[in-house]
Amino acid sequence: MNLSKAFTLLPAAILVSQSAAFVPAPVVSKNHVSTVAAAVNDDDVVVDTATRNARIIAPISAVLGSLSPLAGISPASAAAPASALESSLRKNFPGALSNSAIALRVASSLRNRGYTPTNTLFGSSLCSDEINDTAESLVGDFQNKLGVEGVFNLGGLGGLPFVGTSGMGAFTSHTPVDGKIFIVFGPHVGISNDGTVGKIERVGKDSISTSCGAGIGAYKAIMAQGDSKEAPEGKTLGTKDFQEEYIISQLSDRLDALKGQEPSNESITYVTNKMYDLVWEMLRSEINTFTAKPDFWDNVSEVTLLGGIVVNRGHGAMEGVSGGEDFYQPLMLKSLTKEGENDVYGEVFGDFPALARPHRAALYV
């Protein structure tokens, strides 16, 4: 059989493999709906993407392998290997999805809960780095899929909501009558084309640069201090660089595990997760200031918080850098109402690993 004939059979092979992939599925009963709901909300039984993909990819590979002797295809080349960037993404930020996939899932959930273009106030607390504000950025995707025109930028360096209670008060005061608030937040980090975490190819540059500069810069400053917890002589929290100085001060007690270690993908991933904690803690404090007021809920029916880590990829013209969508690792999805808090993470991302248990288990208040 020649190559063209072999690939003529490929669609049928794929259908056969997909059928085989789902043969072991249990028989659907009248309790199927409740069983699925329970699985979605149980951290220990959700099916992760690797398992789900294995159910599909493995049978396909087997079928392709059976065709390979006839078509002259080697089994090793039947499936293209993951790129260095993709491998690093899966290892260090499991469950991360493309921006458009994240926006599609979350926007669908929001629409089902009554979010519309005219009743939704959209805010973001992401780093002010320009790579988070491109045509394919997460915020842009949400604007398109929700149909909202504007976004209130709450975030400063590292994604921390440095607008403070004054800025948060201004933001919430813009809520439409009987409106809803949606906030996406988190730090960001780059992954270069060769899979290095904390590096990124930027437009117009002929060498890779740091991402996130604020988080990694703080990490380097803290490592340089050694065991000293005191600020360098002459350094006080002032107005010239107060955002970075604040990040350093807040991270200094959280990176002891990295003392004495050389920078690596693992260490930068660790720092990024600690940056997520900083963003969430500050945002939660600012939001609590207003949601705790009895009259806040007179004009607001719901607040939805989506927290996670933005993973940037190269957007430059350097050789071998294809560019494309960034990624987002969702760690939290909560709905707040006058009645209390509801964790909706499982409804939207229940088919992904239970990677967010520490953050999802933390109470809002």
Side-chain angles (χ1 to χ4, degrees):
M1 182 184 295
N2 59 31
L3 185 63
S4 62
K5 289 184 178 179
F7 276 93
T8 300
L9 297 177
L10 185 57
I14 292 175
L15 289 175
V16 171
S17 66
Q18 288 178 333
S19 299
F22 294 101
V23 166
V27 177
V28 177
S29 69
K30 63 181 180 180
N31 296 322
H32 174 68
V33 174
S34 59
T35 302
V36 171
V40 165
N41 288 297
D42 187 340
D43 286 341
D44 298 321
V45 298
V46 292
V47 177
D48 61 81
T49 49
T51 302
R52 183 187 58 188
N53 288 342
R55 293 175 179 173
I56 301 175
I57 300 301
I60 292 178
S61 300
V63 174
L64 289 175
S66 67
L67 292 175
S68 59
L70 300 174
I73 308 171
S74 66
S77 64
S83 68
L85 184 153
E86 292 168 339
S87 296
S88 183
L89 177 74
R90 294 171 186 171
K91 177 182 178 180
N92 297 291
F93 302 97
L97 286 171
S98 66
N99 285 344
S100 60
I102 291 288
L104 185 65
R105 284 172 176 247
V106 176
S108 176
S109 173
L110 292 176
R111 284 194 297 269
N112 289 339
R113 302 206 311 275
Y115 284 72
T116 69
T118 57
N119 75 356
T120 301
L121 178 64
F122 180 31
S124 72
S125 192
L126 304 175
C127 185
S128 47
D129 193 317
E130 80 281 352
I131 57 176
N132 295 318
D133 191 20
T134 68
E136 295 179 314
S137 70
L138 182 64
V139 169
D141 267 321
F142 272 122
Q143 286 180 279
N144 291 333
K145 290 180 173 60
L146 290 174
V148 295
E149 294 187 4
V151 56
F152 195 110
N153 296 305
L154 302 162
L157 291 183
L160 276 74
F162 281 112
V163 293
T165 53
S166 294
M168 184 62 69
F171 169 62
T172 57
S173 71
H174 300 169
T175 309
V177 176
D178 297 325
K180 298 174 179 289
I181 296 175
F182 172 54
I183 301 175
V184 56
F185 69 92
H188 76 120
V189 67
I191 298 182
S192 64
N193 208 43
D194 65 2
T196 303
V197 179
K199 296 295 183 179
I200 196 74
E201 298 86 358
R202 295 178 185 268
V203 174
K205 293 185 66 67
D206 56 7
S207 61
I208 59 176
S209 65
T210 302
S211 169
C212 169
I216 295 175
Y219 157 65
K220 291 180 178 179
I222 293 167
M223 294 300 104
Q225 292 175 12
D227 294 329
S228 174
K229 298 293 184 180
E230 296 181 3
E233 186 177 352
K235 289 288 289 184
T236 57
L237 198 60
T239 58
K240 290 185 178 180
D241 198 22
F242 79 92
Q243 293 191 16
E244 182 67 6
E245 291 166 6
Y246 179 86
I247 292 172
I248 293 173
S249 69
Q250 295 300 306
L251 276 182
S252 61
D253 291 329
R254 305 176 191 234
L255 301 183
D256 289 345
L258 302 181
K259 294 289 180 65
Q261 297 186 24
E262 291 295 320
S264 63
N265 283 357
E266 290 74 21
S267 64
I268 301 303
T269 300
Y270 185 89
V271 171
T272 305
N273 278 274
K274 294 303 179 182
M275 286 292 293
Y276 173 86
D277 292 339
L278 292 186
V279 178
W280 168 232
E281 289 167 12
M282 181 180 280
L283 183 68
R284 177 181 60 187
S285 175
E286 292 175 4
I287 292 176
N288 280 352
T289 300
F290 296 93
T291 57
K293 297 178 179 180
D295 59 349
F296 174 82
W297 298 107
D298 292 345
N299 191 51
V300 179
S301 61
E302 183 179 17
V303 177
T304 296
L305 304 173
L306 171 64
I309 296 172
V310 174
V311 182
N312 307 118
R313 66 187 303 166
H315 293 281
M318 295 173 62
E319 183 177 355
V321 179
S322 59
E325 288 189 274
D326 288 336
F327 304 91
Y328 189 76
Q329 182 192 33
L331 298 176
M332 175 190 298
L333 187 58
K334 293 180 180 289
S335 167
L336 314 176
T337 64
K338 186 176 182 178
E339 288 70 33
E341 172 188 325
N342 182 31
D343 185 352
V344 293
Y345 186 99
E347 297 175 13
V348 179
F349 302 112
D351 53 335
F352 286 88
L355 55 92
R357 180 180 287 122
H359 301 293
R360 291 167 57 198
L363 293 177
Y364 164 65
V365 180

